[in-house]
Amino acid sequence: MEYFWYVIAALGAGVTTGLVGLSAAAVMVPILIVLCPTFAVDGGQFQAVAIALASDVLASIVSTAIYIRHKNIDLKRSWIMIVCVLTMCIVGTIIAFYIPNHINSAFSLALCVFIGVRFLIQPDPQGKRLVPKGTKLDKKGIIFSVLFGLAIGLIVGYVGTGGGLMMLLVFTLFFGMERRTAVGTSTFIMALAALVAFGAHAVAEVDILLERWDVLAICAPVATLGAVVSSLFANKVNGKVVGIVTGAILTVLGIVLLILNFFVMN
């Protein structure tokens, strides 16, 4: 039965990655830790995050390629963010390794609900003014890049999720990026961040590769397939529709998993 949930978790992760650039862990980690008994043990959360990050790498790369093909990416205004996010991913991983499993689990479930509600409230996040792609960062943009980049990198390394949404909001609200460009850019950064964070997780706990290779073999290709289909959909459909679909999926999933987790804990 666990293999069924692996497929569902990976498919949901890939779909949300392609739709709005969300980290795979936003969907995958809550499902694994609540519905799969082998991940409910001590250290299970850490391994679930690592698997989600590994799945995120390929899914994000494929999604990024589709956004690049549609010319929806802006690296000139995001390179500082990239450096800060990658640096703090390692720090977040170290912190997560020493935090009790039940604390990490509760944080992941709550974050899933929060992200879902956030998209339902504002399905198509967009700033008041659009800035042309390739525009040079001003002093305010540099400061925002450093502050938000450090914070986002820490969270990605800690729980493996939240980074895609936060970068989407920063790029649209503070940098003036068009939504599709913001999604493409954040997805590219998440591909790099997921690769670095997964490497840090694997170094911290080698058993992830030795004992969970079967989960990786299922989740990575399924997540990638979901990302391909949803990326093509997101680049052609109205942003409000994409946001509502994503919000509904995450909100329902988060609430159901919180309820199931409550009964499991008791």
Side-chain angles (χ1 to χ4, degrees), residues 3 25 57 85 95 97 150 163 188:
Y3 286 99
V57 175
V85 168
I95 295 174
F97 186 72
L150 294 175
F188 171 74

Side-chain angles (χ1 to χ4, degrees), residues 8-173:
I8 296 299
L11 186 60
V15 167
T16 52
T17 295
L19 286 178
V20 289
L22 278 184
S23 312
V27 174
M28 191 176 297
V29 172
I31 291 178
L32 292 181
I33 61 178
V34 174
L35 300 177
C36 300
T38 59
F39 284 94
V41 299
D42 288 339
Q45 162 79 16
F46 191 81
Q47 292 186 344
V49 169
I51 292 168
L53 288 168
S55 302
D56 217 355
V57 175
L58 188 56
S60 294
I61 289 175
V62 172
S63 296
T64 300
I66 293 174
Y67 279 93
I68 290 176
R69 191 177 70 182
H70 288 82
K71 298 181 180 180
N72 289 322
I73 192 169
D74 187 350
L75 298 181
K76 191 169 183 178
R77 282 184 289 165
S78 60
W79 69 270
I80 296 177
M81 181 85 78
I82 293 174
V83 174
C84 294
V85 168
L86 296 184
T87 301
M88 292 305 292
C89 274
I90 299 175
V91 178
T93 299
I94 295 173
I95 295 174
F97 186 72
Y98 293 101
I99 299 296
N101 196 65
H102 67 278
I103 295 177
N104 290 336
S105 300
F107 188 88
S108 295
L109 292 172
L111 192 59
C112 181
V113 176
F114 171 78
I115 294 174
V117 173
R118 174 64 182 76
F119 273 108
L120 288 177
I121 294 175
Q122 189 175 4
D124 190 11
Q126 187 64 65
K128 295 181 179 179
R129 65 185 183 90
L130 292 178
V131 178
K133 281 183 282 189
T135 302
K136 187 177 180 180
L137 281 175
D138 55 15
K139 290 184 179 180
K140 184 184 293 186
I142 293 174
I143 293 174
F144 283 151
S145 294
V146 173
L147 294 179
F148 285 116
L150 294 175
I152 292 171
L154 183 64
I155 293 174
V156 170
Y158 178 58
V159 291
T161 187
L165 172 64
M166 287 183 283
M167 280 187 280
L168 174 62
L169 296 178
V170 171
F171 288 148
T172 54
L173 300 179

Side-chain angles (χ1 to χ4, degrees), residues 2-12 218-219 222:
E2 281 203 16
Y3 286 99
F4 170 77
W5 293 120
Y6 296 160
V7 173
I8 296 299
L11 186 60
I218 293 173
C219 290
V222 172

